[in-house]
């Protein structure tokens, strides 16, 4: 292929520079175009931009997102592409539409095509795209480009004729599309026919420090707030032969982490077990992140997860079954807690997601959900404001629930009959405090021990922490260093214990915070540290420290200087 070959660019703007934000959607489209024989004369390029890029941030500082969109368009226009395919999500909808407008100004003949979740939700909600593709694009996009190439970039047919020729394709100016009550999606792609952007070299995992690994498409559940609520209800699995080759590639590249894209990884237990065995065999040292359903967890699969380095995220969303019914979810709290117990029993790392602003929920209900979630010892708790996403069942139902939401990305709920603006602001403050103290602060090993001594609920404790942070410069939503968070935790816990005249528990509480903070940080990024403790570190890390009162009454104080470091068998400590 010569340098003069016509070019097709697949592009997107990433929310951050990280493995879980890599441009997999754009890469899949690029890979499918490459694999189309009738398009072999085209040069296909993947070009991604990140909001964390220095050039992006500089452009924003000079002229906001308008300037950033111009910068991206100018970069794309340099090679005079025949077409640019944009991968559009909630976080880049506005900037990519602006970018397409600037690109059309620079290169009027360039064809602009948009796909992705935001397009599938509302294909006609774009000002500057020539074409949009709803649903999976691996078949529809190459077919559209074939059609346009055959017509030298134009179509003799009207837009209304074109959308019926290629399922899922919408053309600007199509009257039928603009007034259609339903979105007609592209024909779902057979996983066996989809080319791998990893195996064909489109995506280099080394560039991103990890991989997004797509194991399946579709979801058997119909949670109404999710894009999948109107998607495929059947799960289509990628062939094991392909997945094994991709896994071997990841191992050769020696990437540290893989984020598994399968919203219900354990829906098929036999396949889930088979994949875990394959991971254990092919990539034993690699860390994997899974999304799973707690109702399908049993002791056998918990033990299988325990054999590989991994973390499992569960979408709890709320602890109120009546609230969950409104968004087409179910919850048996007793069974949920029982199954999560298998993970605690086997030492598997896991976390929960919660959403505030769900229909029928209120601030106290959100606090109750936090209390329930943290009683199960999750490694992390991710708290989100509800987004009323276009193209979801919740979007259709929201007005009936009396909900008010922002119609622009990220579509956050503004208020509901049960959740006022003021209460939503309080929920956001509580979410930020929880993230800082519990998740970023790696507080899981000692959190419930401190609460037991204080006789407080997690939500009460964390709300007090939110108020405490308000008095500190910078608030509590910014990224803080590990040392800063540890000192913040020590100061806050000390104050709480002293306020309840539990001064005798302060030394062991501070030692627990220091030890676990240092061990967590060293495990996370290899940072070694040294510090002073009130007790011997072996005693602090014993099971007796789980009961602060018992420990304070029975353990002998021993001032120590402790060093935490990476040893031959993992993170370790010793007294200096």
């Amino acid at each position: 292929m010569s340098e003069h070959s016509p070019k097709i660019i697949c592009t997107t703007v990433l929310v951050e520079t990280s493995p879980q934000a890599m441009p997999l959607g754009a890469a899949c489209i690029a890979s499918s175009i490459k694999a189309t024989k009738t398009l072999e004369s085209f040069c296909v390029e993947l070009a991604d931009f990140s909001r964390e890029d220095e050039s992006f941030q500089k452009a924003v500082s000079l002229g906001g997102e308008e300037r950033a969109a111009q910068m991206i368009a100018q970069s794309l226009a340099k090679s005079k592409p025949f077409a640019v395919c944009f991968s559009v999500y909630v976080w880049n909808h506005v900037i990519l539409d602006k970018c397409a407008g600037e690109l059309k100004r620079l290169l009027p003949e360039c064809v602009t095509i948009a796909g992705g979740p935001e397009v599938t939700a509302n294909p006609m909600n774009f000002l500057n795209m020539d074409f949009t593709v709803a649903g999976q694009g691996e078949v529809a996009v190459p077919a559209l480009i074939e059609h346009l190439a055959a017509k030298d970039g134009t179509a003799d047919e009207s837009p209304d004729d074109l959308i019926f020729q290629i399922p899922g394709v919408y053309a600007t100016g199509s009257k039928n599309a603009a007034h259609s009550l339903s979105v007609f999606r592209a024909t779902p792609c057979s996983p066996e026919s989809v080319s791998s952007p990893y195996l064909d070299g489109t995506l280099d995992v080394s560039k991103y420090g990890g991989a997004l690994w797509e194991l399946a498409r579709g979801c058997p559940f119909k949670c109404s707030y999710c894009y999948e609520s109107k998607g495929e209800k059947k799960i289509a699995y990628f062939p094991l032969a392909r997945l094994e080759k991709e896994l071997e590639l990841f191992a050769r590249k020696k990437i540290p982490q893989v984020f598994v894209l399968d919203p219900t990884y354990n829906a098929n237990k036999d396949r889930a077990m088979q994949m875990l065995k394959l991971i254990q065999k092919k990539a034993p040292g690699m860390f994997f992140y899974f999304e799973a359903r707690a109702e399908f967890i049993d002791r056998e699969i918990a033990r299988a997860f325990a054999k590989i380095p991994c973390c499992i995220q569960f979408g709890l969303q709320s602890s109120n079954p009546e609230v969950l019914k409104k968004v087409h979810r179910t919850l048996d709290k007793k069974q949920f807690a029982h199954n999560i117990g298998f993970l605690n029993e086997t030492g598997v790392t896991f976390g929960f997601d919660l959403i505030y602003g769900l229909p029928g929920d209120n601030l106290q209900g959100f606090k109750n959900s936090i209390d329930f979630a943290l009683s199960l010892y999750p490694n992390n708790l991710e708290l989100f404001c509800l987004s009323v996403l276009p193209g979801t069942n919740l979007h259709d139902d929201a007005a009936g629930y009396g909900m008010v939401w922002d119609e622009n990305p990220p579509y956050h709920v503004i208020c509901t009959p049960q959740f006022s603006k003021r209460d939503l602001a309080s929920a956001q403050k509580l979410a930020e405090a929880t993230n800082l103290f519990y998740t970023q602060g790696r507080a899981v090993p000692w959190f419930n021990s401190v609460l037991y001594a204080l006789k407080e609920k997690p939500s009460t404790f964390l709300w007090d922490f939110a108020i405490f942070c308000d008095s500190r410069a910078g608030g509590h939503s910014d990224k803080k260093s590990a040392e800063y968070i540890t000192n913040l935790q020590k100061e806050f816990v000390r104050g709480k214990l002293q306020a309840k005249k539990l001064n005798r528990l302060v030394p062991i509480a501070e030692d627990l915070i220091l030890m676990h903070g240092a061990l967590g940080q060293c495990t996370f990024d290899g940072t070694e540290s040294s510090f002073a403790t009130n007790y011997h570190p072996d005693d602090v890390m014993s099971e007796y420290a789980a009961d602060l009162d018992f420990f304070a009454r029975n353990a002998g104080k021993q001032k120590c200087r402790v060093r935490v470091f990476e040893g031959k068998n993992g993170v370790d400590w010793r007294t200096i």
Side-chain angles (χ1 to χ4, degrees):
M1 189 175 298
S2 73
E3 60 182 75
H4 301 295
S5 299
K7 180 174 287 188
I8 299 169
I9 300 177
C10 296
T11 189
T12 192
V13 171
L14 310 177
V15 68
E16 63 182 11
T17 305
S18 67
Q20 61 266 48
M22 67 193 306
L24 181 60
C28 285
I29 299 303
S31 187
S32 67
I33 297 170
K34 288 180 182 179
T36 304
K37 289 187 176 181
T38 54
L39 300 177
E40 288 178 343
S41 61
F42 284 90
C43 172
V44 184
E45 178 183 314
L46 176 66
D48 59 280
F49 303 85
S50 170
R51 290 184 177 274
E52 293 185 346
D53 289 345
E54 184 178 343
S55 57
F56 188 97
Q57 293 185 351
K58 182 178 179 181
V60 170
S61 68
L62 292 174
E65 290 210 342
E66 289 277 358
R67 183 69 190 93
Q70 292 172 3
M71 179 267 293
I72 294 171
Q74 289 165 4
S75 176
L76 296 172
K78 286 180 181 178
S79 57
K80 295 182 171 56
F82 171 81
V84 174
C85 303
F86 296 89
S87 185
V88 187
Y89 298 84
V90 168
W91 58 83
N92 62 23
H93 179 144
V94 175
I95 193 169
L96 288 183
D97 202 18
K98 289 179 179 178
C99 176
E102 178 65 14
L103 183 62
K104 294 295 286 186
R105 187 185 69 80
L106 296 171
L107 291 176
E109 70 280 7
C110 178
V111 180
T112 55
I113 305 169
E118 281 287 281
V119 175
T120 300
N122 189 347
M124 301 309 292
N125 191 26
F126 294 85
L127 299 174
N128 300 302
M129 300 294 177
D130 293 320
F131 299 95
T132 54
V133 178
Q136 298 178 29
E138 283 93 345
V139 172
V141 173
L144 173 59
I145 293 174
E146 279 182 315
H147 183 95
L148 296 173
K151 299 295 182 181
D152 195 24
T154 61
D156 292 339
E157 299 89 352
S158 71
D160 290 312
D161 293 329
L162 184 58
I163 65 170
F164 293 112
Q165 285 190 15
I166 308 174
V169 172
Y170 289 76
T172 302
S174 168
K175 294 179 181 179
N176 288 341
H179 293 88
S180 175
L181 296 177
S182 300
V183 173
F184 296 96
R185 299 188 179 195
T187 304
C189 309
S190 165
E192 292 81 8
S193 65
V194 176
S195 56
S196 167
Y198 293 116
L199 298 179
D200 70 6
T202 300
L203 264 179
D204 180 5
V205 290
S206 301
K207 176 182 176 181
Y208 303 95
L212 283 175
W213 194 25
E214 193 175 22
L215 304 188
R217 291 184 180 179
C219 179
F221 301 97
K222 52 181 181 180
C223 309
S224 64
Y225 50 79
C226 178
Y227 278 128
E228 291 289 346
S229 63
K230 292 187 177 181
E232 291 296 311
K233 294 297 178 276
K234 294 181 180 179
I235 302 177
Y237 293 102
F238 283 91
L240 284 172
R242 162 181 164 154
L243 298 178
E244 184 171 359
K245 289 179 182 178
E246 289 178 331
L247 192 57
E248 290 170 347
L249 173 66
F250 300 160
R252 286 197 305 273
K253 294 285 187 175
K254 297 181 179 179
I255 57 172
Q257 55 190 333
V258 173
F259 293 83
V260 176
L261 289 181
D262 183 344
T264 50
Y265 173 76
N266 58 334
N268 183 323
K269 180 182 174 181
D270 290 341
R271 183 178 171 92
M273 293 288 289
Q274 189 176 9
M275 288 302 303
L276 290 173
K277 290 177 182 177
L278 185 63
I279 289 169
Q280 186 182 3
K281 178 182 177 182
K282 298 288 185 178
M286 206 173 293
F287 199 94
F288 286 78
Y289 296 86
F290 297 93
E291 294 179 52
R293 299 282 294 208
E295 54 263 51
F296 301 142
I297 294 291
D298 59 21
R299 182 171 279 109
E300 183 184 18
I301 199 167
R303 288 173 175 169
F305 275 120
K307 291 179 181 178
I308 67 170
C310 70
C311 178
I312 311 170
Q313 200 72 13
F314 296 94
L316 172 59
Q317 317 310 6
S318 172
S319 65
N320 187 333
E322 294 305 311
V323 168
L324 291 176
K325 281 183 183 179
K326 289 180 169 59
V327 289
H328 302 151
R329 287 182 67 94
T330 59
L331 174 68
D332 181 330
K333 290 176 68 174
K334 186 176 180 180
Q335 188 64 46
F336 187 96
H338 177 73
N339 290 0
I340 292 299
F342 293 132
L343 301 177
N344 280 319
E345 176 186 294
T346 53
V348 177
T349 301
F350 64 92
F352 299 136
D353 295 337
L354 292 177
I355 300 175
Y356 56 91
L358 289 168
D361 204 3
N362 56 29
L363 181 58
Q364 185 56 52
F366 177 55
K367 291 179 178 179
N368 294 342
S369 295
I370 290 176
D371 293 338
F372 174 72
L374 292 182
S375 72
L376 302 178
Y377 298 88
N379 183 68
N380 66 81
L381 188 59
E382 304 294 335
L383 308 170
F384 304 96
C385 179
L386 175 66
S387 290
V388 184
L389 300 171
T392 63
N393 284 324
L394 178 60
H395 190 272
D396 297 341
D397 301 338
Y401 288 126
M403 303 176 74
V404 179
W405 66 95
D406 189 346
E407 296 190 5
N408 298 309
Y411 312 110
H412 283 160
V413 65
I414 295 172
C415 65
T416 76
Q418 298 80 22
F419 229 128
S420 66
K421 288 183 181 180
R422 182 176 179 178
D423 284 349
L424 281 169
S426 295
Q428 180 181 355
K429 181 187 290 189
L430 181 56
E432 291 170 351
T434 302
N435 177 59
L436 183 63
F437 190 97
Y438 189 87
T439 300
Q440 291 187 50
R442 300 181 176 88
V444 59
W446 51 266
F447 184 77
N448 283 323
S449 297
V450 169
L451 263 64
Y452 180 78
L454 290 168
K455 294 181 171 55
E456 286 188 356
K457 292 182 178 180
S459 59
T460 301
F461 177 90
L462 291 165
W463 178 253
D464 288 347
F465 179 68
I467 301 303
F468 170 80
C469 286
D470 280 345
S471 65
R472 297 297 185 274
H476 40 68
S477 60
D478 298 329
K479 290 183 179 179
K480 306 294 185 183
S481 69
E483 182 181 5
Y484 178 90
I485 296 173
T486 296
N487 289 332
L488 208 61
Q489 290 171 326
K490 284 173 56 183
E491 183 182 353
F492 178 69
V493 170
R494 184 191 310 121
K496 292 285 285 185
L497 291 170
Q498 290 173 343
K500 294 201 174 183
K501 304 199 183 306
L502 297 171
N503 300 55
R504 69 186 185 282
L505 305 185
V506 171
I508 178 56
E510 291 187 343
D511 283 1
L512 283 168
I513 293 169
L514 281 170
M515 284 295 299
H516 285 289
L519 290 168
Q521 188 63 26
C522 192
T523 301
F524 177 70
D525 63 9
T527 299
E528 299 186 358
S529 59
S530 60
F531 46 87
T533 60
N534 301 290
Y535 296 90
H536 194 282
D538 292 350
D539 293 338
V540 175
M541 299 303 294
S542 71
E543 61 185 24
Y544 301 108
D547 186 331
L548 302 190
D549 184 65
F550 175 86
F551 187 93
R553 285 187 284 106
N554 293 279
K557 284 189 177 181
Q558 183 179 348
K559 294 283 186 180
C560 295
R561 188 75 185 170
V562 181
R563 178 169 173 261
V564 170
F565 60 95
E566 280 196 279
K568 292 182 179 179
N569 298 315
V571 176
D572 203 351
W573 69 83
R574 69 169 176 231
T575 56
I576 303 174

